[in-house]
Amino acid sequence: MLTEERHQFILDRLAADGKVLAGELASRFGVSEDTVRRDLRELAKAGQLRRVYGGAITLAPFAAATISQRSSHAVEEKMRLAKAAVEVVTAGQALFIDGGTTNEAIARALPRDIELTVATNSLGVASALADLPLVELIMLGGRYSRDLGTCVGGDTLAAVAQLGADLFFLGSCGLDASRGVTAFDSAEAEVKRAMARNSAGIVIAVTNDKLATAAPYRVAAPDAIRHLVVESTAPADILADFERQGAEMRFA
């Protein structure tokens, strides 16, 4: 195969399966793994995939999109995920809910008659919870990012450090059974990691297009996920990898 043909085959396989393995590609092409790794480096440099140990996976969607741009994507799917996600919440719990349009939907789906303490760095989440009479709402302040819709930075991290939560509803940019939970922004990832450290369990609700994808900054290992809420059409083989690492599956 010519280089261009190998590259197109790799991209086609990623589109179909979400990941490729260097060893399998080398056998398929009849070339060395060094040649395949060079192919993967070139495609990664061109922004067409993300390299991981042993191969590559699909890039997480919406790398450059602001939260306002993402708000119109998969609205109905996120509403269904939110309804399934709030079923894990029980009265009296303390929650972290960070940013993201799916987490905003989760905040809107919380019952009005449940007593909770919710700490968030997201204006959208705070707005959704502002008139719930039984929710003690804690705003985690700091430098506000309009693109992210959240507060980030040292002041936010200091506020998180003073709190603990029973559950952390973690907004995921990319989710892969090998790399775990990832984010596009380093400051945002730092806040997510701090919330994860101070929580007894992580809940992630994710649309199918984010499964088997990765963003640059790691947030949490896959075995840190307690509840994974997915669409009913999510690929069974991908979900099996998370189940083996301890995640409880919930379907919307």
Side-chain angles (χ1 to χ4, degrees):
M1 278 188 175
L2 299 174
T3 300
E4 291 78 8
E5 292 175 316
R6 294 198 306 270
H7 287 187
Q8 189 58 55
F9 181 93
I10 291 168
L11 294 175
D12 290 344
R13 180 61 62 85
L14 279 172
D17 300 338
K19 63 182 179 180
V20 292
L21 299 176
E24 291 180 1
L25 291 174
S27 297
R28 173 67 174 77
F29 298 151
V31 299
S32 68
E33 288 196 29
D34 284 341
T35 297
V36 171
R37 283 192 286 267
R38 184 166 59 250
D39 289 338
L40 297 179
R41 282 197 300 270
E42 291 172 0
L43 290 168
K45 186 176 181 180
Q48 295 180 286
L49 55 77
R50 181 159 302 284
R51 293 182 65 209
V52 297
Y53 181 78
I57 59 177
T58 310
L59 284 171
F62 309 113
T66 65
I67 192 165
S68 61
Q69 292 168 329
R70 287 182 276 123
S71 63
S72 60
H73 172 72
V75 174
E76 292 185 5
E77 291 87 342
K78 292 173 185 177
M79 289 175 61
R80 288 194 293 269
L81 288 169
K83 290 178 181 178
V86 299
E87 291 178 359
V88 306
V89 178
T90 58
Q93 287 185 317
L95 311 177
F96 280 131
I97 307 179
D98 76 329
T101 53
T102 304
N103 275 358
E104 290 180 11
I106 288 170
R108 290 192 294 270
L110 284 169
R112 295 187 62 86
D113 59 352
I114 190 169
E115 185 174 350
L116 296 168
T117 298
V118 180
T120 183
N121 62 329
S122 163
L123 286 189
V125 169
S127 177
L129 298 175
D131 64 346
L132 267 63
L134 300 181
V135 171
E136 181 182 355
L137 180 60
I138 301 171
M139 278 300 301
L140 303 170
R143 176 176 61 83
Y144 179 68
S145 166
R146 290 179 177 83
D147 287 344
L148 299 172
T150 59
C151 294
V152 294
D155 290 340
T156 311
L157 292 169
V160 172
Q162 303 303 310
L163 300 170
D166 298 294
L167 292 174
F168 172 24
F169 286 86
L170 197 171
S172 175
C173 298
L175 184 61
D176 178 72
S178 298
R179 286 182 59 81
V181 189
T182 51
F184 285 115
D185 183 90
S186 61
E188 181 182 36
E190 192 174 16
V191 173
K192 291 176 185 290
R193 287 193 293 267
M195 289 181 174
R197 285 194 299 271
N198 284 19
S199 302
I202 291 175
V203 185
I204 296 179
V206 63
T207 50
N208 287 350
D209 56 356
K210 290 185 179 180
L211 290 170
T213 70
Y217 300 99
R218 300 187 75 169
V219 174
D223 61 4
I225 301 169
R226 179 186 294 181
H227 303 288
L228 181 56
V229 187
V230 296
E231 298 178 66
S232 60
T233 54
D237 57 334
I238 294 177
L239 302 185
D241 289 338
F242 287 103
E243 285 185 295
R244 280 192 288 270
Q245 297 183 78
E248 176 192 320
M249 309 307 304
R250 289 179 174 264
F251 296 92

